[in-house]
Amino acid sequence: MVSKVTEYADDSARILSRIDTSRPHTARIWNYWTGGKDNYPVDREAGDQIRNLHPGIVDYAMADRHFLGRSVHHLAGEAGIRQFLDIGTGLPSADNTHEVAQRVAPDARVVYVDNDPLVLAHARALLTSSPEGRTDYLDADLRDVDSILEQAAKTLDLSEPVALMLLGVVIFIGDDEESRRIVRRLMDALPSGSHLVLSHTITSPAMPEVDQAVAFWNEHGTPKLTQRTPEQIVRYFDGLELLEPGLVSCTRWRPDPGEGPEPEEVAMYCGVARKP
């Protein structure tokens, strides 16, 4: 009989064999920008080149991360959400979704979804739950809606409210209609009282350096990114009740006291909405 330890080691070896270190990857560059160590020279080189094109890129990487913390804290606290489906989770770092949620509600359940092999390898080791709650990880693509829902239902009760977390992941779906259809299908499967938490890189005439950085990335890195205007991004919340302050720069979504009256805008917009 094959032991679970052997199965785990074999599975981990298969996962690690999928990692391509010859081309920069978004999850690893994001990890580099936010101070992590799970990246390779090719990622650091590309990250530095992008930062030269757009020096503020690290600021909006951090702003997106802080938005995750504030939104999850609100949902687990005031909104009473106890279940989170985090798709496109990226490499584990400080204050992951389950850590923020379980500090507020130790019985919170979180399912992470990603299709990057390095993320999967680290998630299994680092994304551990509180004794009262539960954390699971799925190796799946955002487009695999039916599979995600079927597997997530083994950990989450999809008849009870769920917070769907889509931070910086819809940018990888190039077609507007397809990306909105995916978000709608996921939200349609969740009951009233569920929430959508979404962030997305914007394109704006006021921030031409962002377009240059994305163009550089799409030429050299993987996977490709799609920018959208705020008017396009707000469409993901159609049929839902956007919480105040609406769709805004990640720095301006309910900033913590002491951050100043009007934090500087970044090219990463976000919103949280409730399903009526």
Side-chain angles (χ1 to χ4, degrees), residues 13 23 64 77 80 99 116 122 142 149 151 171 174 181 202 204:
R23 296 189 68 189
D64 187 56
E99 293 169 320
D116 180 83
H122 283 267
L142 174 60
L149 293 170
Q151 294 181 72
I171 60 176
R181 184 166 59 249
I202 67 163
S204 166

Side-chain angles (χ1 to χ4, degrees), residues 80-263:
I81 299 295
R82 294 295 178 266
Q83 304 188 107
F84 296 80
L85 179 56
D86 188 340
I87 303 178
T89 178
L91 284 159
S93 61
D95 281 345
N96 299 287
T97 297
H98 76 283
E99 293 169 320
V100 178
Q102 290 177 352
R103 276 202 296 269
V104 179
D107 60 336
R109 295 185 171 203
V110 180
V111 172
Y112 292 101
V113 182
D114 208 296
N115 66 346
D116 180 83
L118 187 62
V119 173
L120 176 60
H122 283 267
R124 289 185 164 176
L126 300 177
L127 298 180
T128 55
S129 175
S130 67
E132 302 92 337
R134 187 172 171 187
T135 302
D136 200 2
Y137 186 92
L138 307 181
D139 182 12
D141 186 274
L142 174 60
R143 296 175 176 86
D144 302 330
V145 174
D146 293 338
S147 177
I148 289 172
L149 293 170
E150 179 182 357
Q151 294 181 72
K154 298 174 183 177
T155 301
L156 308 178
D157 179 356
L158 301 186
S159 68
E160 295 292 328
V162 174
L164 173 63
M165 313 287 295
L166 296 175
L167 272 64
V169 65
V170 179
I171 60 176
F172 301 124
I173 308 294
D175 183 82
D176 287 356
E177 193 53 48
E178 181 189 7
S179 64
R180 287 198 295 269
R181 184 166 59 249
I182 288 170
V183 175
R184 283 197 303 270
R185 286 182 61 201
L186 286 163
M187 288 305 298
D188 285 348
L190 305 179
S192 174
S194 294
H195 288 69
L196 171 62
V197 183
L198 183 144
S199 66
H200 198 300
T201 306
I202 67 163
T203 179
S204 166
M207 300 178 179
E209 70 280 2
V210 179
D211 296 349
Q212 295 170 16
V214 171
F216 174 87
W217 172 257
N218 285 341
E219 182 179 350
H220 300 280
T222 183
K224 306 303 181 188
L225 311 181
T226 298
Q227 293 168 273
R228 293 182 170 94
T229 65
E231 292 76 17
Q232 290 172 308
I233 298 168
V234 79
R235 291 289 310 281
Y236 293 111
F237 299 98
D238 285 354
L240 306 175
E241 300 169 349
L242 260 174
L243 305 188
E244 291 294 336
L247 182 74
V248 294
S249 164
C250 285
T251 52
R252 296 180 178 178
W253 197 90
R254 305 189 180 189
D256 296 325
E259 290 189 14
E262 185 78 328

